[in-house]
Amino acid sequence: MTTPQPSHRTPPAHTDPTEVSLEAALLALSDPVRRTLVRELAGAGDWERACGSFDVPVTKATLSRHFTVLRESGLLEQRDAGAKRLNRLRRTEFDARFPGLLDLVLQGD
Amino acid sequence: MTTPQPSHRTPPAHTDPTEVSLEAALLALSDPVRRTLVRELAGAGDWERACGSFDVPVTKATLSRHFTVLRESGLLEQRDAGAKRLNRLRRTEFDARFPGLLDLVLQGD
């Protein structure tokens, strides 16, 4: 039996979608890499995708920054599981705050 | 009877909303001054508002740039009438291209 490794990282800080401004939401979604992350998350189950599993043409530091922007705009929930950081698109909550916006992104550019 | 002054300016170039990318639309609406312009236009009739009639805290050159971005993102139609440049929000066309997006902006921040 495997014992999960405890994570010693600081748990990620989240912003509730109800507290996100329209400007923050529009800016978060105006970046093509972030739209790719959002679309890939929409195509996966909750907590299925680890941060390292996304194939986007950016450095690790830039990718980390994109995840932060997505958390701060109420689009992303993250939790640590051992060495992995797992992701969930906050689709229902974000849809409730900004009806139709995520649908536009998921339809493609 | 007044004879309208002919305009010698180059007529403004427009982009049809059907040819606007989601990224261009999101970036256009992510600016607070442009959202103010869009909201004021939504509250006025077509061609009622001249460019000089908007009370926004930017220079004339910056305001002109904002109008260009709004034209290029399919949100704004402009035409010259003598010395005045008049404006129309392309609400129906933009709504058809990006359903729900303008509504989010018109609801406020």
Side-chain angles (χ1 to χ4, degrees):
Chain A
M1 207 173 141
T2 343
T3 310
Q5 287 291 110
S7 171
H8 298 287
R9 288 183 293 177
T10 310
H14 292 90
T15 303
D16 193 275
T18 59
E19 285 163 18
V20 171
S21 69
L22 177 62
E23 179 148 324
L26 294 172
L27 286 171
L29 292 170
S30 67
D31 181 274
V33 170
R34 289 196 289 268
R35 287 198 301 280
T36 297
L37 297 173
V38 163
R39 287 182 193 126
E40 293 207 11
L41 284 167
D46 287 356
W47 312 118
E48 262 184 28
R49 297 290 300 266
C51 285
S53 74
F54 295 90
D55 184 24
V56 282
V58 295
T59 64
K60 201 175 164 180
T62 300
L63 183 59
S64 173
R65 177 68 197 144
H66 284 313
F67 283 126
T68 300
V69 173
L70 291 175
R71 286 201 314 273
E72 289 174 348
S73 58
L75 280 157
L76 183 67
E77 189 177 355
Q78 296 187 308
R79 68 178 184 206
D80 292 332
K84 285 187 176 176
R85 179 159 285 184
L86 302 177
N87 294 279
R88 178 180 85 85
L89 183 65
R90 305 180 76 166
R91 190 161 178 171
T92 308
E93 307 101 291
F94 193 85
D95 275 341
R97 172 72 181 90
F98 302 109
L101 185 52
L102 207 45
D103 286 339
L104 287 173
V105 170
L106 299 179
Q107 281 159 27
D109 278 8
Chain B
M1 209 172 141
T2 344
T3 311
Q5 286 293 110
S7 171
H8 298 286
R9 289 183 293 178
T10 310
H14 292 90
T15 304
D16 193 275
T18 59
E19 286 164 17
V20 171
S21 69
L22 177 62
E23 178 148 324
L26 294 173
L27 286 171
L29 291 170
S30 67
D31 180 274
V33 170
R34 288 194 291 268
R35 287 198 302 280
T36 297
L37 297 174
V38 164
R39 286 182 195 126
E40 293 207 11
L41 284 167
D46 287 356
W47 312 117
E48 262 184 28
R49 297 290 300 265
C51 286
S53 74
F54 295 91
D55 185 24
V56 283
V58 295
T59 63
K60 201 174 163 181
T62 300
L63 183 58
S64 174
R65 177 69 199 141
H66 284 313
F67 283 126
T68 300
V69 172
L70 291 176
R71 285 201 315 272
E72 289 174 350
S73 58
L75 279 158
L76 182 68
E77 190 178 355
Q78 295 188 307
R79 69 178 182 206
D80 291 332
K84 286 187 175 176
R85 178 157 285 183
L86 302 177
N87 295 279
R88 178 181 85 84
L89 183 66
R90 305 179 76 166
R91 189 160 179 172
T92 308
E93 307 100 291
F94 193 86
D95 275 343
R97 172 72 182 90
F98 302 110
L101 185 52
L102 207 44
D103 286 339
L104 287 173
V105 170
L106 298 180
Q107 281 158 28
D109 279 7

